[in-house]
Amino acid sequence: MPAIMTSRQAAELDHAMERNGWTSEDVKKASQGNMLETLRLVVRGELTAQQPDTIIRPDQLPPFDPESFIGPGWTIDEDSLIEMEELDLKEVKLVTMLRDDERYVRGGDHLHRLKAAGHRALTASVFRFLWENKHMIPESWKELGIVTFDGTVLRDRFGDRFVLYLRWRGGIGWFWRVRWLARELATGDLSACVVRCA
């Protein structure tokens, strides 16, 4: 296989990175996920430098495979595909469907209310993309508790229904779990949605 660049080009890149303050940790992070693909698109002028922070393109969202991500026996029960040219994370709202007089609501009822309101909940494919590109998770989500991705309902091998969620914990960082839809949700449990305008 031919080399991607000559030793002279590699030296030029090395000097440019050093001149611009790159560290070995920066290089390691840039080598993960699709960061270099994004950089290549920026260099070629196909993507502006601002887009990678908030924009997710459809071709970046392969179908979510619950067995490979969670484990054997997991399947997709419902998947509300978001039809879009691109998803701007600045337009995503974290919402609760709790009424003013409620402290809790069952997960399944919360899901029905989201659908009735016409909100488009983000799917497991978007969850997986953000999990693999944590630098794109909005900073404001860290302070807001549990962020669920109700656009995809999963089923385990016992037939119980779940949705995926992300949560920030200081000292640990982002982690993910599945939330049982038969369980009650409280005010700190928020759904990531593209909200229908009134």
Side-chain angles (χ1 to χ4, degrees), residues 53-54 56 82 87-95 120-123 125-131 133-150 164-170 173-176 187-195:
D53 294 333
T54 63
I56 302 174
I82 297 177
L87 173 66
D88 189 343
L89 292 171
K90 290 185 290 189
E91 296 177 5
V92 173
K93 307 296 182 197
L94 302 184
V95 301
R120 296 184 301 162
L122 300 190
T123 63
S125 293
V126 177
F127 158 85
R128 178 74 183 263
F129 176 83
L130 291 175
W131 180 251
N133 298 275
K134 296 181 187 69
H135 64 284
M136 289 186 67
I137 300 174
E139 192 71 18
S140 61
W141 291 15
K142 291 182 178 179
E143 308 299 324
L144 297 175
I146 290 174
V147 178
T148 59
F149 292 75
D150 300 289
L164 289 155
Y165 73 83
L166 286 172
R167 186 169 195 176
W168 173 261
R169 187 164 289 165
W174 289 105
F175 68 93
W176 70 269
T187 52
D189 301 319
L190 302 170
S191 299
C193 300
V194 177
V195 177

Side-chain angles (χ1 to χ4, degrees), residues 96-106 109-110 113 185-187:
T96 178
M97 299 309 292
L98 281 172
R99 299 183 179 120
D100 291 340
D101 60 341
E102 292 177 323
R103 292 181 59 205
Y104 303 97
V105 63
R106 289 211 177 272
D109 294 334
H110 191 265
R113 292 178 188 180
L185 278 70
T187 52

Side-chain angles (χ1 to χ4, degrees), residues 27 35 37 64 69 91 98 100 108 116 118-119 132 135 138 140 143 151 155 164 167 172 179:
V27 173
M35 293 285 286
E37 165 65 9
F64 181 76
F69 191 80
E91 296 177 5
L98 281 172
D100 291 340
H119 300 329
E132 293 175 351
H135 64 284
S140 61
E143 308 299 324
R155 193 178 288 275
L164 289 155
R167 186 169 195 176
I172 298 174
R179 176 173 286 282

Side-chain angles (χ1 to χ4, degrees), residues 6-164:
T6 66
S7 58
R8 180 178 176 179
Q9 289 170 326
E12 287 175 3
L13 182 60
D14 185 53
H15 291 307
M17 287 178 154
E18 184 178 348
R19 187 174 64 248
N20 287 281
W22 280 62
T23 65
S24 59
E25 187 62 28
D26 293 331
V27 173
K28 183 177 179 181
K29 285 182 181 176
S31 301
Q32 296 172 350
N34 66 346
M35 293 285 286
L36 288 177
E37 165 65 9
T38 301
L39 181 58
R40 184 176 63 81
L41 292 173
V42 171
V43 168
R44 292 182 177 179
E46 298 172 28
L47 193 65
T48 67
Q50 289 74 30
Q51 282 181 305
D53 294 333
T54 63
I55 302 294
I56 302 174
R57 302 186 318 272
D59 63 338
Q60 294 175 301
L61 300 175
F64 181 76
D65 179 6
E67 282 206 323
S68 67
F69 191 80
I70 304 173
W74 285 84
T75 59
I76 292 178
D77 190 55
E78 296 176 35
D79 199 21
S80 305
L81 298 176
I82 297 177
E83 293 182 12
M84 59 179 185
E85 291 186 11
E86 58 187 26
L87 173 66
D88 189 343
L89 292 171
K90 290 185 290 189
E91 296 177 5
V92 173
K93 307 296 182 197
L94 302 184
V95 301
T96 178
M97 299 309 292
L98 281 172
R99 299 183 179 120
D100 291 340
D101 60 341
E102 292 177 323
R103 292 181 59 205
Y104 303 97
V105 63
R106 289 211 177 272
D109 294 334
H110 191 265
L111 192 60
H112 290 305
R113 292 178 188 180
L114 278 172
K115 291 177 182 177
H119 300 329
R120 296 184 301 162
L122 300 190
T123 63
S125 293
V126 177
F127 158 85
R128 178 74 183 263
F129 176 83
L130 291 175
W131 180 251
E132 293 175 351
N133 298 275
K134 296 181 187 69
H135 64 284
M136 289 186 67
I137 300 174
E139 192 71 18
S140 61
W141 291 15
K142 291 182 178 179
E143 308 299 324
L144 297 175
I146 290 174
V147 178
T148 59
F149 292 75
D150 300 289
T152 303
V153 177
L154 305 169
R155 193 178 288 275
D156 70 5
R157 60 192 178 95
F158 303 107
D160 292 320
R161 290 160 37 98
F162 298 82
V163 292
L164 289 155

